[in-house]
Amino acid sequence: MSAVLRLENVEKYYGNSSNLTKAVDRISFSVEKGEFVGIMGASGSGKTTLLNCISTIDRVTAGHIYVGEEDITKLKGNKLNKFRREELGFIFQDFNLLDTLTAYENIALALSIQNVSAAEIPDRVIQMAERLGIKEVLNKYPYQMSGGQKQRVASARAIITNPKLVLADEPTGALDSKAARYLLESLCQMNEQYRATILMVTHDAFTASYAERVIFIKDGKLFHEIRKGDDDRKQFFDKIIEVVTMLGGDLSDVV
Amino acid sequence: MLFKLSIQNLKKSMRDYAIYFFTLILGVAIFYVFNSLEKQTIMLKTSSADYEIIELMNSVMSGISVFVAFVLGCLIVYASNFLMKRRKKEFGIYMLLGMEKGKIARILMIETIFIGLISLGAGLTLGIVVSQGMSMLVIQLFEADMSQFEFIVSKSAIGKTVLYFVLMYVVVLLLDVFVVGKSKLINLIHAEKKVEKNTAKNPVFCAIVFLIAIVVLGSAYYRMTAEATEITETWQLMVEIGKGVVATFLIFWSGSGMFLFVVSRRKKFYLRGLNCFTVRELEGRFNTTVVSGSIICLMLFVTICVLSSAMSMRESVNHNLKEMTPVDVNFDMDIADGQRIEDILTKTGVDTGMFRDVISIQSYTAADQSLTVASTIGTAFEELQWDDSVKDYYREMLDEVIKVSDYNAIARRYGLEEYTLDQDEYMVVANFDSMVSLRNLGLEKGQTLTIGGRTYHPKYKECQDGYIVMASNHTNFGFILVPDDVNLEGYRSYYDYYVADYQETSSMSIEEISTYIDSAQFNQLINPENKTWPSIEITTKTDLYANSISLTAMVVFIGIYLGIVFMISSAAILALKELSEAVDNKEKYVILRRIGVDEKDMNRSILAQSAIFFGMPLLLACIHSIFGIQVCNYLLETFGKSGLLYSIIVTAVLIVFIYGIYFLITYLCSKQMIREKRTR
């Protein structure tokens, strides 16, 4: 299997020479095609910064990020937008749906900005909506939907373009436990059925336990990495908790 | 501390609310410019007739200024209210930190004082500069001497401007304090978090309403143009205007729903690029601006009509003048004791060498005063259901008879139609509309006249066009033409008419003669106080020009004044709305950027949104105007119809300029606003 995402000594510093914060400190890892990877860390550990660098919303201070063969730290301007449009899919904690558009239009927008022909769009949207169980809310506006529905619409939007990499930033952060579980199952389903490569950032052990592999970050550095392997989810969850305990008490008292 | 806070807020607002400041400054400047016209016109050395019209203009201007102050006041209240809404969170934080409402009121007061000082200062400066340009225009319009030009600052206009605007700011301040005072902390804090609800209307219902609006509007258009002659009462006019207003409102109410309904069905267009986003944004915007959109559309409509009517009136008056002033000078006088104008001119020592190609004719009336307007109309007049006092006026108004060849001599000179009459025929020449229709009553009935024992029949069934004394518009009450061989026994000489052009003499050039004849000195000479003859009326081409030009200048000034104020008000409201949307929508563009939309596409979407948002009211106003201008023309018919194209071009240029500036600022600022968030 080829690496979809490869990070080489990525660094991200904030501030100036007198007061320097190393938000991301020489992190290297890679994600294979079709993997479901979780990144865990306390708030302030640099995980969101890392995700922003991968999603090209933020720029790295040093190091390289390869998506496929392309070094995305070298991209500029509209090439960045093109990259985001064609290679990435996003799922955010606060959904980031456009509230003037219906669910259907929100999903369709991801295709229409890629200049997918209008004849093709409706079928693809409806098919995707069926898979994620949101067909009945397609004509509703975001404010008429529940949090779980909104996040599934956002997931549909992220994956409908068949991106190389789906980035999820605390996708369950704003959901109740039932909705969170349903969403995570949807993500797993996306991962299995579409072979979508998913990189999910979370601070929640339960959420992380849905991934196949979890990378732990502490103070901007790679701390540990565990694989699910042949364990079931419960066993994997216990392993994650062990690591979290090792990480120190700071993770558990974070909301 | 409060002071510092206010200043910082202001600095921030300066950038965010450039449009608000721009509008305030423009408002102050315009207010000053038009109120300082008084001062500017006084410096012009013009004839006394001009002074009267200037006085009239100044009083009309000050009346209109009150109205304009009201419009600007409403605009400022609306705009500041709008900005207040946007600052709720800020005030929420102050209150959360424990600031009392009294202190917030003080912050607002300091801010208002600063806004007031800056806008008044900048506005007056701009106004003073612009008014100098205006002076040039005044000089040109009144055809005064350029050497009179000097730099003028009108203290009274400054005083008036400051007074009116301070009043407006005080009202705004009170309203702002009121708004903050009654609001709850929880609402202030969460002001920004409110979820945008898309109150989509039922598309079928929208379509029905839209169609009804179109039908109502169409019928109003039809009534006002094709059936314009049937509208005689004010209330009928009001009904049609009311229909137009209601239809405009309905179109704005249903238009966005209709638009979405139609567009979203065209999948090929709707599902391409950002189109569906753009369409939805516009729908939301129009749905929240139904009332203000309709008002803006109507204001633009009035602006277009007023401006183009003013311009076309100016054009046609100028055009008319050329036609209606064929010679340099007319004298006319009641011949009471047989003295003719020629005799008096000689007697008073006027050098008649300065007149060339003189034509001198006279009219006659019955010596026993039996030839009156009422008697020449005859039974048709007596049958009118008029008040006796009005009828008596016409019963006492002497009519006059002129020999047809005498009239033809003048008509030939003026380039008017000449007439021939058979032995027993007479005709009436008139061009003043109401007199024409009155006299036509008699002519239609074939009313005969008996002069010197012979009976005359009317040659035509209506009055014919023509005049003897020059005027700036059609004011000939009418006179009767009879064959030359008429027996004038029992008739006396009535009016003497003297028509001439100027010619250079050894001592005076034509210009000097013209000035001399128009002067009070000349009037004194031929109409001295101890004169033994009735007053000689002097009508000169130059005088008529000066009068008409003053009148049209006034109309043009008022047109421009109102037009500009209406236009900046409309454009400012649209701009504020659009910009506040841009602030609200920052997040949306962040999302779009994240899912990989190109900057270029986002800019294009913003351009389309601003253009359509600004364009829709203007488009509807233009359609209204196509019919409105026709109505205006109909109303202004006495002034003629020429110069329509010219006036429309001038109006269009003015609109494109002012409206365009607002549009451009809005577009650029919106673009700027959504870009800001990028560096995070």
Side-chain angles (χ1 to χ4, degrees):
Chain A
M1 264 201 264
S2 60
V4 170
L5 175 71
R6 193 153 51 87
L7 278 71
E8 281 180 5
N9 290 323
V10 171
E11 294 180 30
K12 177 70 190 177
Y13 299 165
Y14 287 116
N16 49 34
S17 53
S18 61
N19 179 22
L20 198 67
T21 313
K22 293 185 177 180
V24 177
D25 191 6
R26 292 154 65 79
I27 285 185
S28 304
F29 66 87
S30 59
V31 178
E32 303 296 316
K33 185 166 170 37
E35 254 192 315
F36 187 173
V37 177
I39 296 180
M40 277 198 83
S43 78
S45 64
K47 58 186 189 319
T48 299
T49 307
L50 185 67
L51 195 75
N52 283 344
C53 288
I54 297 171
S55 64
T56 68
I57 291 169
D58 210 342
R59 287 194 163 277
V60 298
T61 311
H64 298 281
I65 300 171
Y66 296 94
V67 172
E69 296 303 311
E70 198 166 21
D71 184 356
I72 59 167
T73 58
K74 298 269 194 291
L75 293 176
K76 277 198 182 89
N78 278 335
K79 280 200 174 156
L80 272 180
N81 289 325
K82 188 173 186 309
F83 164 74
R84 282 206 285 269
R85 188 162 68 223
E86 290 174 4
E87 316 284 351
L88 293 184
F90 287 95
I91 304 170
F92 301 93
Q93 178 174 357
D94 48 1
F95 323 126
N96 274 351
L97 294 175
L98 293 161
D99 49 16
T100 43
L101 302 187
T102 60
Y104 176 90
E105 287 161 352
N106 263 296
I107 301 170
L109 190 65
L111 291 175
S112 70
I113 59 169
Q114 280 195 17
N115 295 325
V116 173
S117 92
E120 198 181 318
I121 292 176
D123 285 346
R124 279 175 74 174
V125 173
I126 288 164
Q127 209 180 358
M128 182 58 67
E130 268 171 358
R131 288 278 167 87
L132 290 175
I134 45 172
K135 203 181 170 202
E136 66 279 10
V137 296
L138 276 183
N139 284 321
K140 287 187 176 173
Y141 292 95
Y143 73 92
Q144 296 169 315
M145 291 185 254
S146 71
Q149 286 169 332
K150 281 191 242 189
Q151 198 59 297
R152 272 176 285 141
V153 171
S155 309
R157 181 181 67 184
I159 201 170
I160 197 165
T161 57
N162 296 324
K164 280 200 180 122
L165 185 62
V166 176
L167 299 173
D169 186 5
E170 302 275 14
T172 56
L175 302 183
D176 60 52
S177 61
K178 195 170 155 237
R181 200 182 298 252
Y182 191 25
L183 177 78
L184 288 165
E185 276 159 15
S186 303
L187 286 181
C188 286
Q189 190 196 353
M190 276 155 58
N191 173 246
E192 283 157 18
Q193 291 186 351
Y194 292 92
R195 301 304 298 153
T197 314
I198 302 173
L199 184 66
M200 176 175 73
V201 164
T202 183
H203 64 260
D204 178 44
F206 175 75
T207 304
S209 69
Y210 278 84
E212 291 165 0
R213 175 160 68 110
V214 178
I215 295 167
F216 295 86
I217 290 177
K218 187 181 182 183
D219 298 334
K221 290 187 179 127
L222 205 70
F223 177 78
H224 191 58
E225 180 183 316
I226 54 173
R227 280 177 188 277
K228 190 175 177 186
D230 295 328
D231 295 343
D232 63 10
R233 212 176 45 76
K234 180 76 182 70
Q235 289 165 322
F236 191 47
F237 176 74
D238 292 338
K239 278 189 185 170
I240 293 170
I241 292 292
E242 271 172 44
V243 181
V244 169
T245 322
M246 262 192 331
L247 269 170
D250 52 353
L251 191 64
S252 55
D253 55 22
V254 169
V255 180
Chain B
M1 180 57 202
L2 286 185
F3 189 75
K4 208 174 155 192
L5 208 56
S6 304
I7 299 295
Q8 272 169 356
N9 284 338
L10 215 61
K11 272 188 189 158
K12 205 177 62 195
S13 330
M14 275 289 201
R15 212 191 48 207
D16 280 1
Y17 306 133
I19 283 278
Y20 182 53
F21 276 89
F22 181 68
T23 306
L24 285 181
I25 291 170
L26 219 58
V28 172
I30 289 165
F31 202 81
Y32 170 82
V33 167
F34 283 90
N35 279 291
S36 70
L37 270 181
E38 184 173 10
K39 187 79 178 246
Q40 290 160 24
T41 45
I42 283 171
M43 73 183 182
L44 304 171
K45 261 192 208 154
T46 41
S47 66
S48 57
D50 270 9
Y51 268 124
E52 272 169 41
I53 204 95
I54 286 169
E55 235 165 70
L56 175 67
M57 176 162 112
N58 287 330
S59 62
V60 169
M61 265 318 171
S62 58
I64 285 183
S65 282
V66 175
F67 174 67
V68 164
F70 176 73
V71 172
L72 287 176
C74 286
L75 171 68
I76 292 173
V77 168
Y78 176 86
S80 81
N81 210 354
F82 209 76
L83 300 184
M84 275 299 288
K85 270 189 207 153
R86 313 208 41 74
R87 294 180 59 188
K88 277 192 173 161
K89 177 132 194 200
E90 181 189 329
F91 292 118
I93 290 171
Y94 293 157
M95 276 154 89
L96 200 62
L97 294 174
M99 194 185 276
E100 301 128 51
K101 284 184 176 173
K103 277 198 175 161
I104 293 179
R106 257 164 58 206
I107 290 183
L108 280 172
M109 192 173 78
I110 296 171
E111 280 179 34
T112 310
I113 290 172
F114 265 88
I115 291 174
L117 284 179
I118 293 171
S119 61
L120 276 173
L124 285 175
T125 315
L126 181 68
I128 288 168
V129 173
V130 172
S131 71
Q132 306 313 316
M134 204 67 178
S135 297
M136 302 269 211
L137 187 69
V138 170
I139 287 171
Q140 223 205 348
L141 282 173
F142 287 80
E143 297 185 337
D145 187 0
M146 258 324 232
S147 61
Q148 300 288 325
F149 182 76
E150 53 185 304
F151 195 82
I152 281 208
V153 176
S154 164
K155 287 200 190 77
S156 66
I158 291 179
K160 201 170 165 187
T161 311
V162 170
L163 178 76
Y164 274 92
F165 276 82
V166 164
L167 230 117
M168 288 178 218
Y169 292 140
V170 168
V171 171
V172 168
L173 179 62
L174 290 178
L175 281 175
D176 286 355
V177 170
F178 178 72
V179 167
V180 171
K182 76 170 182 162
S183 49
K184 293 195 189 89
L185 182 53
I186 183 79
N187 294 338
L188 290 180
I189 296 285
H190 291 301
E192 280 186 9
K193 282 199 176 159
K194 86 177 171 3
V195 186
E196 203 170 320
K197 281 196 182 173
N198 206 329
T199 48
K201 294 167 185 143
N202 182 347
V204 180
F205 187 56
C206 274
I208 293 170
V209 171
F210 192 78
L211 285 179
I212 290 173
I214 296 287
V215 169
V216 170
L217 197 58
S219 89
Y221 284 161
Y222 183 75
R223 287 278 290 162
M224 293 298 279
T225 50
E227 291 182 356
T229 45
E230 285 173 31
I231 295 176
T232 47
E233 304 286 331
T234 316
W235 68 265
Q236 286 175 308
L237 189 69
M238 287 300 154
V239 166
E240 300 310 317
I241 291 174
K243 272 156 79 179
V245 171
V246 170
T248 305
F249 176 79
L250 291 181
I251 286 177
F252 271 91
W253 187 86
S254 62
S256 58
M258 258 300 272
F259 176 64
L260 179 75
F261 182 69
V262 172
V263 171
S264 63
R265 239 130 274 249
R266 301 196 48 201
K267 293 271 180 253
K268 240 184 165 163
F269 170 81
Y270 195 61
L271 294 177
R272 200 173 63 213
L274 281 179
N275 285 354
C276 76
F277 172 75
T278 310
V279 169
R280 285 290 190 171
E281 284 297 299
L282 275 170
E283 189 214 3
R285 205 150 316 161
F286 277 115
N287 270 345
T288 51
T289 39
V290 174
V291 177
S292 44
S294 319
I295 292 173
I296 286 164
C297 172
L298 294 172
M299 283 211 287
L300 287 172
F301 165 61
V302 172
T303 304
I304 295 173
C305 286
V306 166
L307 271 179
S308 63
S309 303
M311 294 290 168
S312 83
M313 182 176 155
R314 196 187 100 88
E315 274 301 287
S316 54
V317 165
N318 286 357
H319 181 76
N320 270 6
L321 271 178
K322 280 200 189 92
E323 275 186 9
M324 306 218 30
T325 54
V327 292
D328 286 338
V329 66
N330 286 165
F331 296 114
D332 64 274
M333 181 187 76
D334 192 344
I335 309 173
D337 55 355
Q339 291 191 80
R340 300 288 301 264
I341 291 172
E342 272 170 322
D343 306 335
I344 295 165
L345 289 179
T346 323
K347 193 160 35 174
T348 52
V350 175
D351 175 12
T352 47
M354 60 190 174
F355 302 126
R356 67 177 168 83
D357 303 331
V358 175
I359 300 172
S360 177
I361 64 160
Q362 57 173 319
S363 66
Y364 306 89
T365 191
D368 60 358
Q369 311 214 331
S370 64
L371 186 77
T372 63
V373 172
S375 73
T376 54
I377 298 169
T379 51
F381 179 81
E382 296 307 326
E383 283 163 12
L384 285 172
Q385 303 292 318
W386 283 2
D387 208 60
D388 258 349
S389 59
V390 179
K391 279 190 163 180
D392 283 345
Y393 172 75
Y394 289 104
R395 284 181 188 131
E396 281 158 24
M397 185 195 255
L398 294 183
D399 218 343
E400 51 187 325
V401 173
I402 295 172
K403 289 180 183 164
V404 67
S405 63
D406 283 349
Y407 174 74
N408 282 344
I410 287 181
R412 203 173 308 130
R413 178 70 172 281
Y414 285 1
L416 300 173
E417 195 175 335
E418 296 174 44
Y419 300 104
T420 53
L421 290 173
D422 277 344
Q423 273 195 336
D424 58 347
E425 280 178 342
Y426 80 93
M427 61 182 288
V428 180
V429 173
N431 64 13
F432 187 69
D433 279 348
S434 59
M435 282 308 282
V436 167
S437 45
L438 186 61
R439 284 177 182 278
N440 283 350
L441 295 176
L443 296 174
E444 275 162 26
K445 286 206 164 182
Q447 176 69 27
T448 56
L449 286 181
T450 308
I451 303 170
R454 186 185 271 176
T455 304
Y456 295 89
H457 302 278
K459 180 176 180 183
Y460 303 101
K461 284 208 179 302
E462 61 255 341
C463 297
Q464 299 301 302
D465 193 33
Y467 62 92
I468 294 177
V469 179
M470 300 188 290
S472 52
N473 39 37
H474 303 283
T475 52
N476 176 17
F477 272 34
F479 43 79
I480 298 163
L481 296 187
V482 291
D484 290 350
D485 61 356
V486 65
N487 175 12
L488 288 170
E489 207 181 295
Y491 273 63
R492 66 170 178 88
S493 296
Y494 184 33
Y495 256 90
D496 195 11
Y497 298 103
Y498 186 97
V499 171
D501 277 320
Y502 301 140
Q503 76 178 346
E504 231 170 45
T505 65
S506 51
S507 56
M508 283 199 278
S509 69
I510 286 183
E511 282 77 35
E512 281 166 334
I513 294 169
S514 172
T515 320
Y516 172 62
I517 302 284
D518 283 333
S519 68
Q521 183 198 352
F522 177 75
N523 193 16
Q524 275 289 292
L525 181 68
I526 61 167
N527 290 319
E529 275 181 38
N530 58 353
K531 63 181 183 288
T532 56
W533 56 87
S535 287
I536 299 177
E537 290 293 326
I538 310 161
T539 312
T540 65
K541 185 190 248 180
T542 46
D543 201 31
L544 287 175
Y545 262 83
N547 264 320
S548 305
I549 286 166
S550 314
L551 182 70
T552 50
M554 179 172 101
V555 172
V556 168
F557 275 134
I558 292 169
I560 294 177
Y561 189 20
L562 283 182
I564 292 179
V565 167
F566 274 15
M567 209 140 55
I568 64 167
S569 306
S570 324
I573 291 173
L574 287 175
L576 281 170
K577 174 80 184 162
E578 181 75 21
L579 285 176
S580 80
E581 288 286 333
V583 176
D584 284 344
N585 289 345
K586 266 185 194 173
E587 284 302 324
K588 288 183 189 160
Y589 293 96
V590 173
I591 297 172
L592 287 180
R593 202 169 279 126
R594 280 186 179 165
I595 65 172
V597 177
D598 279 345
E599 298 296 320
K600 200 181 65 198
D601 290 337
M602 276 189 274
N603 287 343
R604 206 181 292 148
S605 171
I606 287 177
L607 181 64
Q609 286 172 42
S610 319
I612 295 174
F613 190 58
F614 270 74
M616 275 306 290
L618 186 61
L619 182 70
L620 189 55
C622 285
I623 296 172
H624 281 347
S625 305
I626 294 173
F627 299 91
I629 288 174
Q630 287 182 34
V631 176
C632 292
N633 267 322
Y634 178 72
L635 295 176
L636 293 175
E637 206 156 33
T638 42
F639 292 100
K641 273 186 187 170
S642 63
L644 195 57
L645 185 69
Y646 165 83
S647 63
I648 286 174
I649 290 171
V650 170
T651 310
V653 166
L654 209 65
I655 287 178
V656 167
F657 184 67
I658 295 179
Y659 211 65
I661 286 181
Y662 270 93
F663 167 69
L664 216 64
I665 294 179
T666 307
Y667 169 58
L668 294 176
C669 285
S670 316
K671 229 166 77 171
Q672 182 69 31
M673 278 181 187
I674 66 149
R675 194 173 290 157
E676 266 170 19
K677 203 92 185 204
R678 198 182 190 184
T679 49
R680 215 172 54 137

